[in-house]
Amino acid sequence: MSRISQISYDDASPEIRAEHDEELRLRGRMTNMKRVLLHSPVAHRVYAEWFTLRDLLRPTLSDRTIWLFSLAISEASDALIPTTFFRRALIQSGIEPDKFEPDAEERVLMEFGRAIVANSNAVPDEIWGRLTARYDEATLVNLVAFAGIMVATGVFTNVVEVDLDPELDTYRKIDGI
């Protein structure tokens, strides 16, 4: 049971309703995490910048690569909601997350994501070197900022114990998150 309730649209302030309606207009759905975040429209907008950063990364990274990077961060954070969200994205695109072979770019980004969660003060130079050989500085800034929002998403959903969205339940790993 979530430690913070989801907003009730009928009882929400005009500002919260406007933010809710804009989220639906932009993305077409409202998750349990977003319904909790909407108690603070500012907090909701901060977390929604994930989409802005994703769009900035898309010219360089495929959706699959972004999903795998996000999944690695989410799994390393033991964060059920984002883990199942990205497992669903991969499975629905025909990729079995537990049985696929990542390419070199995906592998380094997954290693980077796990390293950030393990100790952001000690990301191995070897991983950073592989990233700087692939990406320009603007892309690196966007990658780190994107990873920060992914880590924050895991922290938020874990601390608040946001209820898993029912449509994500079937995407849980059998032996863990």
Side-chain angles (χ1 to χ4, degrees), residues 33-46:
M33 179 183 147
K34 292 173 187 175
R35 285 186 191 98
V36 173
L37 277 168
L38 278 170
H39 283 287
S40 168
V42 170
H44 176 263
R45 285 190 296 273
V46 167

Side-chain angles (χ1 to χ4, degrees), residues 46-60:
V46 167
Y47 279 82
E49 287 301 312
W50 181 94
F51 294 98
T52 305
L53 288 166
R54 181 207 55 196
D55 291 346
L56 291 172
L57 291 169
R58 272 185 163 158
T60 305

Side-chain angles (χ1 to χ4, degrees), residues 7-27 30 38 40-42 44-45:
I7 61 117
S8 164
Y9 187 85
D10 293 339
D11 299 329
S13 70
E15 179 187 16
I16 290 171
R17 283 184 184 191
E19 189 76 13
H20 176 279
D21 295 347
E22 181 64 5
E23 179 65 25
L24 286 178
R25 185 188 72 73
L26 289 171
R27 291 177 253 293
M30 184 61 61
L38 278 170
S40 168
V42 170
H44 176 263
R45 285 190 296 273

